[in-house]
Amino acid sequence: MKISFVHSEKSYLPEINAYEAYFNEQEGIEAQIITNNELKEMKSNDFDVLWKFPGMDMRRNFKDVKVIHEYNSLSTGYFPSFKNYLKKHYNIIPDGKVFLNEKVESDLKTKDKMPAIIRDMGIAKQFFLQNTKKEFDFVYVGAMGKGRELEFALQPFTTTLKHKSMLLIGQPNDDLYAQYKNHSNIIFTGVMPYTEIPSIASKAIYGFNYMPDIYPFNVQASTKLLEYCALGLKVVTSDYHWLREFEKHREGRFFKLNADLANFTQNELDNFSFMTPNLQDLEWHQLLDNINLLGFLNQVVHHEPSR
């Protein structure tokens, strides 16, 4: 069986690499990652299963190819609820669906009887293997679009925390970079290979998880926070619904920022009792075994719906 995972190259999708590695370990399965441009050049006999992360997907282009839609996030940006409505009612009916959590499922699930599964966010094995001398105070990993409000969140590093270093791993938006590029304690790495991130991020003391308390960010797992925990970092975070539920469920203790960042001082951090939970069960291979992802794939391949 040949599976192709379509990467739009617009989003941070660590699950794709995890899927590729996981399925290539299974007998009789060959998995690969392709781009949208590569997909345009392929034929239906190049794969048996096409695994997509839509977006809008309104036309089935390959006859006799099983299609899986994975919704690893609710829509963001302007009019997210309307975008979710379009995905729910105008996308093709795939042969299987994967949802990040119950909230994503409830907002995007349709009435068809296709196989479906909930797959929580996992963590790459490399994040559990770090033991590095500390070189930075804080690290932020991931998306830095304007909707993340990092322009505001980094302000303390020019005042009360101006003697503390912040390492930002990822592609900053233009305004963010212009505002902070001349501050020597704020270091932009730009985009780097995913496999290199754990060794660099583990050199920090604190993992910085700043997430605006707005839909859908406040109801979805924070990949960066999970990775910080796996690295054993102390977590400094904005305060929102998913964060509190996760903290309670995992018995963690994270430093939660006030909305105005007034408590974001070294003295407050020094007097806080951090507790970083063990997330070994979320290591990708173990997680995918636990949810029986292989069983889901076989169900999709052998399911014969009446369309």
Side-chain angles (χ1 to χ4, degrees):
M1 183 193 310
K2 295 181 180 179
I3 310 173
S4 289
F5 298 94
V6 184
H7 199 315
S8 67
E9 300 181 293
K10 294 180 181 179
S11 302
Y12 176 60
L13 296 174
E15 51 266 64
I16 287 188
N17 298 92
Y19 287 160
E20 182 187 39
Y22 182 80
F23 282 123
N24 279 330
E25 293 177 2
Q26 313 299 325
E27 185 176 354
I29 299 179
E30 179 183 333
Q32 65 173 345
I33 299 170
I34 62 174
T35 65
N36 280 318
N37 285 334
E38 290 171 330
L39 179 61
K40 294 175 183 177
E41 304 299 323
M42 300 179 78
K43 300 179 177 61
S44 59
N45 59 0
D46 289 327
F47 38 70
D48 303 293
V49 178
L50 194 57
W51 200 304
K52 296 183 173 184
F53 295 74
M56 296 304 298
D57 188 21
M58 300 170 64
R59 185 173 64 180
R60 186 178 285 265
N61 294 319
F62 300 96
K63 186 180 179 181
D64 300 326
V65 170
K66 297 288 186 176
V67 176
I68 292 174
H69 281 178
E70 174 152 344
Y71 294 104
N72 65 337
S73 171
L74 292 164
S75 297
T76 61
Y78 295 110
F79 310 112
S81 296
F82 179 63
K83 292 177 184 176
N84 289 338
Y85 176 86
L86 293 177
K87 290 178 184 178
K88 182 173 181 177
H89 295 284
Y90 290 96
N91 275 349
I92 63 168
I93 298 176
D95 300 283
K97 295 180 182 179
V98 181
F99 300 99
L100 173 66
N101 57 30
E102 289 83 359
K103 175 61 176 174
V104 176
E105 181 183 37
S106 67
D107 283 14
L108 293 174
K109 188 175 182 179
T110 55
K111 294 182 179 180
D112 61 71
K113 303 298 183 181
M114 300 303 179
I117 194 172
I118 291 176
R119 190 272 305 152
D120 204 351
M121 181 55 69
I123 309 168
K125 184 178 295 185
Q126 301 97 304
F127 285 91
F128 295 95
L129 304 176
Q130 306 306 313
N131 184 15
T132 308
K133 181 180 178 181
K134 302 301 182 181
E135 298 180 14
F136 306 98
D137 295 297
F138 294 83
V139 65
Y140 176 94
V141 179
M144 300 184 209
K146 283 196 172 186
R148 301 284 173 161
E149 301 179 0
L150 286 173
E151 291 85 349
F152 171 72
L154 294 183
Q155 287 179 6
F157 291 92
T158 68
T159 55
T160 56
L161 294 173
K162 64 183 179 181
H163 299 301
K164 298 298 178 179
S165 57
M166 164 63 85
L167 181 70
L168 296 122
I169 301 175
Q171 184 63 48
N173 71 72
D174 292 341
D175 289 344
L176 180 69
Y177 183 71
Q179 185 173 343
Y180 292 106
K181 67 179 180 179
N182 294 324
H183 293 272
S184 60
N185 62 321
I186 300 176
I187 304 103
F188 294 94
T189 69
V191 177
M192 62 170 53
Y194 182 70
T195 54
E196 295 179 12
I197 292 175
S199 62
I200 301 298
S202 64
K203 295 179 181 180
I205 298 170
Y206 302 98
F208 191 60
N209 177 59
Y210 194 81
M211 199 74 68
D213 188 15
I214 58 175
Y215 177 94
F217 300 118
N218 55 6
V219 296
Q220 296 182 168
S222 168
T223 302
K224 63 175 64 63
L225 184 142
L226 301 180
E227 292 171 346
Y228 298 155
C229 290
L231 290 169
L233 306 185
K234 299 176 180 179
V235 174
V236 176
T237 178
S238 48
D239 190 4
Y240 55 100
H241 176 75
W242 177 87
L243 182 283
R244 285 187 174 271
E245 291 296 311
F246 179 80
E247 184 182 44
K248 179 181 178 181
H249 174 65
R250 288 287 180 166
E251 298 183 347
R253 186 167 164 79
F254 308 136
F255 184 90
K256 291 182 280 296
L257 298 163
N258 293 344
D260 61 1
L261 304 182
N263 66 332
F264 195 15
T265 67
Q266 191 59 51
N267 184 60
E268 292 277 359
L269 292 171
D270 289 342
N271 289 310
F272 185 80
S273 178
F274 287 89
M275 187 177 298
T276 303
N278 184 333
L279 303 184
Q280 190 68 50
D281 61 303
L282 295 183
E283 184 275 321
W284 273 118
H285 196 287
Q286 187 170 336
L287 171 68
L288 299 181
D289 269 349
N290 289 343
I291 65 170
N292 191 19
L293 189 68
L294 186 59
F296 165 73
L297 175 64
N298 287 328
Q299 186 182 9
V300 169
V301 170
H302 296 106
H303 188 255
E304 294 295 340
S306 55
R307 296 188 184 278

